[in-house]
Amino acid sequence: MAPDMKLSLDSLIDSYANLPLKERRLVIVGAIALLGIVLFSVLIPLDHAVTRARARVEQKRADLNWMQTVAVPVLRNAPAPSSSGESLLVIVDRSAREAKLDTALRGSEQGSAGSLSLRLEKAPFDSLVVWLGRLAQQNGVVIDSATIEKTGDAGLVNAAIVLRPGLM
């Protein structure tokens, strides 16, 4: 900026005061319109996004608290692992067919220490949870990790699960 074009609040107020009444009204209307544009295009959508994120976090906390309260009794009441001598792969394959999850089972891979990694696609969530519970209760299978993601179809999920045989 040139030295003679220094802007200060006092010079802006003086310039505004020297404007004709019609132009002063136009400046006020423009300032209100600019404020409205900023408010409706930035602040309100941002506020809505923050509100939705807080609600999701609160729901996830409630889910975690529920899972933690249910986990202890479930583990306490789990029967001892079966000593049928079947391999984990055979148990998983047979029980997946019984639970009608065999069509969702896309792959399995033996891991270290007898673990088994599974990949399921478009599996019914309710059936998956019941199946995993049955594997743990009836066969003593331990779930090392599970990543479950929703799909575009209601009630169907993709899952990556690592299982291992329980202590015999």
Side-chain angles (χ1 to χ4, degrees):
M1 270 187 174
D4 59 340
M5 294 194 65
K6 273 190 171 177
L7 289 179
S8 69
L9 187 56
D10 291 332
S11 67
L12 284 175
I13 291 172
D14 289 341
S15 297
Y16 175 76
N18 291 332
L19 289 174
L21 181 61
K22 202 174 195 180
E23 289 181 11
R24 276 190 270 169
R25 287 183 182 157
L26 184 63
V27 168
I28 289 174
V29 169
I32 291 171
L34 180 64
L35 181 64
I37 289 170
V38 168
L39 182 67
F40 286 107
S41 67
V42 175
L43 297 179
I44 290 177
L46 182 62
D47 180 58
H48 287 5
V50 168
T51 301
R52 284 190 305 271
R54 284 185 179 155
R56 280 193 315 268
V57 166
E58 190 58 38
Q59 180 61 45
K60 289 185 185 291
R61 281 188 183 139
D63 291 346
L64 177 63
N65 287 336
W66 176 81
M67 285 182 201
Q68 288 172 336
T69 60
V70 171
V72 172
V74 166
L75 292 175
R76 189 178 304 132
N77 295 332
S82 69
S83 57
S84 65
E86 294 179 311
S87 74
L88 182 57
L89 181 60
V90 171
I91 293 169
V92 167
D93 184 59
R94 183 188 69 241
S95 63
R97 279 194 313 274
E98 289 170 359
K100 302 202 182 338
L101 288 171
D102 52 328
T103 57
L105 194 55
R106 294 291 180 251
S108 62
E109 184 176 310
Q110 289 289 143
S112 61
S115 68
L116 182 65
S117 298
L118 304 173
R119 189 173 42 94
L120 293 100
E121 293 179 1
K122 294 190 176 184
F125 177 76
D126 293 341
S127 299
L128 177 65
V129 171
V130 169
W131 175 63
L132 290 172
R134 190 171 294 138
L135 274 174
Q137 286 184 345
Q138 292 178 355
N139 302 100
V141 174
V142 176
I143 302 168
D144 272 346
S145 68
T147 303
I148 301 174
E149 300 171 341
K150 65 180 181 178
T151 64
D153 300 324
L156 299 180
V157 295
N158 294 334
I161 302 169
V162 178
L163 304 173
R164 66 177 166 83
L167 299 175
M168 297 285 177

